[in-house]
Amino acid sequence: MIYFDNSATTKPLDSVLDTYRTVATDFFGNPSSLHNLGDQARAVVDQSRAQIAQLIHAQPEEIYFTSGGTEGDNWIIKGTAMAKRQFGKHLITTQIEHPAVRNSMLQLEKLGFDVTYLPVDSRGFVSVDAVRNAIRPDTILVSVMAVNNEVGSIQPIDAIGDLLEDYPTIHYHVDAVQSVGKGVLDKVRHPRIDFLTFSGHKFHAPRGTGFIFAKSGRMIDPLMAGGGQERDWRSGTENTPGIAAMAKALRVCLADEETNVAREQAIRTEIANYVNQQDDVTLFSQLDDGYAPHILTFAIAGVRGETIVHAFEHEGIFMSTTSACSSRSGAESSTLKAMRVPDALATSAIRISLDEENTMAEAQAFERAFDKVHAEFQKLAPAK
């Protein structure tokens, strides 16, 4: 089996699962309990929070645990809207955001908020000027993803941060879910960024884990009301083993980041150059530094993406169409639509997404499978 669908989810590392099992077995108390078992569990949560904060260059009190990226995006966007609605009801985002952002914005529109969805260019990038021109006196939030999950374009997070230095009352949120271990941490730690979203299962932690960074002094309303956990910002009994496992996964992921990024770039370049030799292949992810090292999206003209995915699955290679969220539902790619890719070509798009465990040998095996699959598609193509 060759797994090329790491942007959808990653396989938990053995060492991460070991941490989960140990904590679940030995530190099973409720961190809110007053007895010793509760104290032990609380210490695990606090140590994990401190470790995560150190790894992303934040303070422990700026880290809040969640169930993943979807909750984090919903919380920051809706929490900002509720906390700042007396100051304005205008939010800015882009046309290529993850559904967790896009659908949160759509919900807010139904509640009377006004949302500007910024366009992107044909390569999948939003412009800083577009952000500047969209800002109004009643703007309360700018939300732009760091790395697009469908084509891998790295948005100008730094430059937008520089722009927002002149607008200190606007919350600046960055969905950093696809950025961990991909050489872009410096960008998502721009000092002007107020909120970041992370999802554990994108970097080999268990599913159902995640965290947000919330800059000290910035306020959002909680979504989860209850017993007052997470300093009354996110109630619900803490997932102690999941939190500890996520901290372990993040440490492992960032330990050899430079080497891993170089390996992923080399594999992506190898595959891209190979498939691009065919006249009926169109690359949507380019090979320059403007794109993340782990995502390669391309189309074989005239063949639907799901057909391509299943053909490679038959060869033991697993990938997706442009995103796992849209693959299962059959929804069109919002990113390719925003990039003005013709529908006939967009429906042929597939995404390869790599991680540090993929190898050049797997890339070469993919190329052999590609030759076989592509030849079969050519036989089925209508005569010109």
Side-chain angles (χ1 to χ4, degrees), residues 47-252:
Q47 290 166 8
S48 300
R49 192 189 314 275
Q51 183 178 96
I52 289 171
Q54 181 182 32
L55 289 167
I56 71 162
H57 312 303
Q59 298 301 313
E61 61 271 18
E62 296 175 317
I63 304 300
Y64 294 84
F65 295 120
T66 70
S67 63
T70 293
E71 181 190 339
D73 285 338
N74 273 258
W75 180 14
I76 293 166
I77 292 166
K78 296 174 185 176
T80 289
M82 295 301 104
K84 294 177 69 69
R85 61 189 182 279
Q86 68 268 39
F87 303 111
K89 290 190 173 182
H90 179 236
L91 305 92
I92 298 171
T93 189
T94 79
Q95 294 177 359
I96 63 168
E97 299 300 308
H98 187 275
V101 170
R102 184 169 63 252
N103 290 334
S104 292
M105 296 289 184
L106 292 174
Q107 284 185 312
L108 289 176
E109 286 186 285
K110 293 178 181 178
L111 296 175
F113 288 83
D114 187 15
V115 181
T116 297
Y117 300 90
L118 300 176
V120 297
D121 63 21
S122 62
R123 300 175 71 241
F125 297 91
V126 69
S127 78
V128 180
D129 284 340
V131 178
R132 178 184 293 107
N133 294 335
I135 293 174
R136 308 185 327 205
D138 60 338
T139 302
I140 57 174
L141 174 71
V142 171
S143 180
V144 179
M145 68 190 341
V147 176
N148 178 260
N149 58 302
E150 297 190 24
V151 300
S153 50
I154 302 172
Q155 301 308 310
I157 298 303
D158 283 351
I160 295 173
D162 292 342
L163 166 67
L164 293 179
E165 295 282 7
D166 294 330
Y167 302 90
T169 62
I170 297 175
H171 280 182
Y172 184 21
H173 166 234
V174 173
D175 180 332
V177 165
Q178 290 290 340
S179 68
V180 177
K182 307 307 176 186
V184 296
L185 184 59
D186 288 344
K187 288 181 178 293
V188 303
R189 291 304 294 119
H190 187 284
R192 181 57 184 82
I193 294 173
D194 300 306
F195 298 96
L196 293 165
T197 305
F198 296 91
S199 181
H201 78 106
K202 304 298 188 180
F203 52 87
H204 302 285
R207 295 174 195 173
T209 63
F211 66 95
I212 70 165
F213 160 82
K215 184 191 292 184
S216 294
R218 290 298 206 184
M219 296 298 295
I220 53 174
D221 281 1
L223 292 186
M224 308 291 285
Q229 291 85 352
E230 293 298 283
R231 301 183 291 286
D232 212 25
W233 273 33
R234 198 271 189 183
S235 292
T237 301
E238 296 92 339
N239 176 10
T240 307
I243 288 168
M246 178 172 61
K248 174 68 171 288
L250 185 61
R251 185 173 76 249
V252 173

